Amino acid sequence: MTACKGPDSPLAQLQRWYRSPLGTELARLECACVQQLLHDTFGYYLVQIGVTESFRDALATSRIRHRIAMPCDPPPLARAPAIVGLASQLPLASDSIDALFLPHTLDFSPDPQAVLREAERILIPEGRLIVIGFNAISTWGLRGLLRGSRGPAPWCGRFRTNYQMEAWLSDLGFALERREFLMFRPPLTRALGPGGPRIETLGRRLLPALGGVYVLRAVKRVSTLTPLRPSWRGRRQLLPGRVEPTARRNPHV
């Protein structure tokens, strides 16, 4: 994780920040977007890595049969099935997951490309990946740049542009299906006033690429002569006895 100020992990800090007025509004917008992106996504397993509490209701509406959380700080008594592990070394079988959800997980990862390589490994062919990230070219990115690692999450994260994230996904063989931008208001509590919805409407219409948050949905493409999707009867185990995470190195990290 990035070196955020505070005794606990950046994602744990981000989870608490989501309970603030500004975080609550952002969570509302992100959840509505994620619900739309998952509406036509089907399968057996949906895995979410990172912040889980704020998106519980959004994922509950998914048509995917099993939803599994890999929280930033697993509670002693988890409310839902949970997995403990590193995002860059997932304890999951290759080609076993139908959808993977990374809400700001890459913003606070020391090696985001390693996390994406693991995502490519565990997703089935035609599996979906949903990524939420703070946009570096926005007022939110500017505030993060000014605060840097001196402050708590979310400002201590490593914000990137959607262009960089889409390039990484393309290099791994993912095809972009949807791109959305959210939160055009500046990261100030007073921006949550009555004029906020008007700012959102104008920003989405006039400067869509400057939203504070981007949401991407990509599909894993695999060149093969065999059927792309494994048969339902032949699905691999989710948690095999031995897992071998990808060890491929990317010289462009």
Side-chain angles (χ1 to χ4, degrees), residues 109-202:
S109 171
D111 192 350
Q113 288 177 286
V115 178
L116 290 178
R117 290 195 293 270
E118 280 292 85
E120 190 276 336
R121 180 183 67 82
I122 67 171
L123 282 170
I124 65 170
E126 300 298 307
R128 264 61 182 183
L129 173 65
I130 296 178
V131 174
I132 298 181
F134 289 108
N135 185 10
I137 50 173
S138 68
T139 56
W140 289 67
L142 178 60
R143 179 170 177 179
L145 183 64
L146 294 176
R147 291 294 297 272
S149 60
R150 296 185 300 274
W155 314 117
C156 58
R158 176 77 179 274
F159 298 175
R160 298 174 177 85
T161 68
N162 65 291
Y163 305 108
Q164 182 177 8
M165 195 61 60
E166 289 172 27
W168 287 352
L169 292 171
S170 178
D171 289 343
L172 289 171
F174 284 95
L176 185 68
E177 289 187 319
R178 292 279 298 275
R179 178 198 303 113
E180 303 289 343
F181 290 97
L182 312 171
M183 204 59 166
F184 294 87
R185 282 167 281 186
L188 303 170
T189 303
R190 61 176 178 268
L192 301 176
R198 185 168 182 270
I199 296 176
E200 291 293 318
T201 300
L202 290 175

Side-chain angles (χ1 to χ4, degrees), residues 88-89 114 117-118 121 244-250:
S88 58
Q89 296 179 333
R117 290 195 293 270
E118 280 292 85
R121 180 183 67 82
E244 297 181 357
T246 178
R248 298 195 300 271
R249 301 294 299 172
N250 190 323

Side-chain angles (χ1 to χ4, degrees), residues 73-130:
D73 287 325
L77 296 175
R79 298 182 183 179
I83 294 175
V84 178
L86 298 175
S88 58
Q89 296 179 333
L90 296 173
L92 299 170
S94 300
D95 304 320
S96 63
I97 303 300
D98 298 274
L100 180 64
F101 178 38
L102 302 177
H104 298 289
T105 311
L106 303 176
D107 292 334
F108 301 95
S109 171
D111 192 350
Q113 288 177 286
V115 178
L116 290 178
R117 290 195 293 270
E118 280 292 85
E120 190 276 336
R121 180 183 67 82
I122 67 171
L123 282 170
I124 65 170
E126 300 298 307
R128 264 61 182 183
L129 173 65
I130 296 178

Side-chain angles (χ1 to χ4, degrees), residues 179-230:
R179 178 198 303 113
E180 303 289 343
F181 290 97
L182 312 171
M183 204 59 166
F184 294 87
R185 282 167 281 186
L188 303 170
T189 303
R190 61 176 178 268
L192 301 176
R198 185 168 182 270
I199 296 176
E200 291 293 318
T201 300
L202 290 175
R204 191 173 294 107
R205 181 185 304 169
L206 303 177
L207 299 168
L210 298 185
V213 167
Y214 59 81
V215 185
L216 307 176
R217 189 180 77 176
V219 58
K220 176 182 173 179
R221 300 297 191 196
V222 178
S223 299
T224 176
L225 297 179
T226 58
L228 289 176
R229 192 177 184 86

